[in-house]
Amino acid sequence: MPVLDWTRTNLDFEVSDNSTALRFEADAFAAFELFLLKRPGAEKDYSEAQKKKAEAFFKKSTSEEQKKLIKNIIAGLPGAEEGYSLKEFNAILATYNKVGPKELKANLFSFLAEIIPSAEKAGILMCIHPDDPPFPILGLPRVVSTEQDIVDLYDAVKSPNNGLTFCTGSFGVRADNDLAGMVERLGDRIHFIHLRATKRDADGNFHEADHLEGDVDMYAVLKALVLEQQKRIKSGRQDIRMPFRPDHGHKMLDDLKKKTNPGYSAIGRLRGLAELRGLEVGIRRSL
């Protein structure tokens, strides 16, 4: 994901049980691009209907709401607290003007070709995280969003050390990603698992749902992962442990009073962990 890590427009979206979740709202993001960031050429990426909705969103938003939207999108970078100004952000986006999906994939595959031999010698399993959201934003290319992207990645460097972080939340935002099928077909090189569920709609909006709800069939996904682990055990593989985490939990209960990193408060993820472990035990007992 060039420039930014996962991208959301609302970090405190209230859900039905009064906990809060991360949310991506398409109209808000378009308003940010078109009227706040004013990215050159951004208007080409939106239909007339989308531009009208973005303008309506922008006109009804207050200056404080606009500042918060900017902060939510570009205030922090992965592993750092500092952020960009709008001018700086446009400048760094411009460095990718001549980099499309083809060029970015070529760069990624060249990088992997250089490092995977060293990873093999050191016994390190590399695993790439998919795009979040898994579609183009800000004029930037996306190259780890679909099953075909992963097939291309696997084929580029044919090594078990060149693998995947299987994030059900990222892949699940796209209705055309068959998550359980992806585990069945790509599972032999899945080295890390992020289990979370997202709820999407036809307008391109989505938010983090409860771990066992949303659009991710967590039962089917977890069953496929358990079966993949059993295959590894039977074939004598050494990497039979498949670490996972309950990703992006809701902010709830006492955590609502605390300052936490968005998506990474304790209680919501602990609830998700309990639910996922219970589901896993039920699946294993039924096989």
Side-chain angles (χ1 to χ4, degrees), residues 94-110:
T95 65
Y96 284 84
N97 284 347
K98 296 182 180 179
V99 180
K102 181 179 178 181
E103 290 79 14
L104 189 60
K105 274 193 174 184
N107 289 345
L108 172 61
F109 298 163
S110 174

Side-chain angles (χ1 to χ4, degrees), residues 256-280:
L256 290 168
K257 306 172 188 175
K258 301 174 183 176
K259 182 178 179 181
T260 62
N261 286 335
Y264 297 100
S265 55
I267 299 173
R269 287 189 297 151
L270 286 172
R271 180 182 70 172
L273 177 60
E275 293 172 342
L276 292 165
R277 288 181 68 187
L279 179 60
E280 180 189 359

Side-chain angles (χ1 to χ4, degrees), residues 1 4 28 34 107-108 145 147 152 164 166 169 210 228 252:
M1 290 178 280
L4 290 178
L34 295 168
N107 289 345
L108 172 61
S145 297
E147 181 171 353
D152 293 344
L164 173 66
F166 191 72
D210 289 332
E228 167 60 29
M252 59 190 301

Side-chain angles (χ1 to χ4, degrees), residues 165-179:
T165 294
F166 191 72
C167 179
T168 59
S170 295
F171 284 130
V173 169
R174 292 182 65 118
D176 57 346
N177 279 334
D178 168 21
L179 301 189

Side-chain angles (χ1 to χ4, degrees), residues 143-192:
V143 297
V144 192
S145 297
T146 67
E147 181 171 353
Q148 187 59 53
D149 288 334
I150 307 307
V151 170
D152 293 344
L153 181 92
Y154 283 6
D155 288 345
V157 181
K158 296 181 183 294
S159 166
N161 299 70
N162 174 33
L164 173 66
T165 294
F166 191 72
C167 179
T168 59
S170 295
F171 284 130
V173 169
R174 292 182 65 118
D176 57 346
N177 279 334
D178 168 21
L179 301 189
M182 289 172 73
V183 174
E184 293 168 5
R185 293 181 288 273
L186 306 172
D188 65 325
R189 281 156 79 175
I190 290 175
H191 301 318
F192 190 21

